[in-house]
Amino acid sequence: MSSESKNTALLCTTEADLATYTYEFAGYSLTGHIGIGKFVRSDTFTVAGYDWAIRVYPDGIDDEASMDSVAASLELMSSDAEPEVFRALLHFIYNDSLPGMGDLQGNDCGEMMRHLFVAADRYAMDRMKLVCQIIICKKLDVETVATTLALADQHI
């Protein structure tokens, strides 16, 4: 076996949608001292077909933040109003399992899992959230990694 090391390069290309959103935090001085980890959320806006919002934490996100710092984050929002997501949510509540996803192909199944993951987080359904995490991780690929990372950043 050769003692030479081999270098391997990986090229990853993704498409990006760019947008500018201006969020005016009116009355900032009135919201100061609302508590560490508490936030003010912007209105929802849409970029690349996804709904987003900005969270501003006037007193910081955690105890390690300085009282002189403000934190902000971008939040991927979900529309729980989609009938398939709501049906799957109810199915899990009553059966402790996800319904069959046989009708969904490829990225549609992954998209459904992401919506269910957000719903599980929103309604504190830890077991459903864990099941969705496992499925999302198994289907992770170069095309979904950025969306999945943003989702994880907001909900884990």
Side-chain angles (χ1 to χ4, degrees):
M1 202 159 143
S2 170
S3 63
E4 277 182 45
S5 64
K6 294 184 178 182
N7 291 330
T8 304
L10 175 63
L11 176 62
C12 175
T13 60
T14 58
E15 293 182 28
D17 290 312
L18 301 177
T20 300
Y21 180 76
T22 303
Y23 176 48
E24 183 178 335
F25 194 167
Y28 172 77
S29 62
L30 300 175
T31 61
H33 307 297
I34 63 173
I36 295 172
K38 298 196 189 277
F39 60 89
V40 177
R41 181 182 289 137
S42 73
D43 291 333
T44 303
F45 55 95
T46 303
V47 176
Y50 292 97
D51 292 332
W52 301 88
I54 296 173
R55 282 187 179 186
V56 177
Y57 299 81
D59 295 323
I61 279 183
D62 55 34
D63 292 330
E64 295 177 15
S66 162
M67 288 302 288
D68 297 330
S69 67
V70 173
S73 67
L74 185 62
E75 178 179 16
L76 178 62
M77 304 298 285
S78 171
S79 171
D80 287 0
E82 295 179 24
E84 313 85 45
V85 174
F86 188 68
R87 273 193 290 277
L89 186 69
L90 288 176
H91 185 277
F92 193 89
I93 290 170
Y94 288 109
N95 299 294
D96 196 39
S97 66
L98 293 174
M101 302 285 174
D103 296 345
L104 299 175
Q105 300 289 326
N107 195 39
D108 290 341
C109 182
E111 188 66 24
M112 172 65 100
M113 284 302 116
R114 287 187 284 277
H115 285 292
L116 286 172
F117 175 79
V118 171
D121 184 56
R122 180 171 292 154
Y123 298 113
M125 298 174 63
D126 293 335
R127 180 163 154 56
M128 181 176 164
K129 188 175 172 182
L130 181 61
V131 169
C132 292
Q133 281 176 338
I134 291 168
I135 293 170
I136 289 168
C137 287
K138 285 182 180 179
K139 296 185 178 289
L140 189 65
D141 63 25
V142 83
E143 292 179 15
T144 61
V145 73
T147 304
T148 303
L149 182 59
L151 190 68
D153 189 47
Q154 294 300 318
H155 299 281
I156 292 182

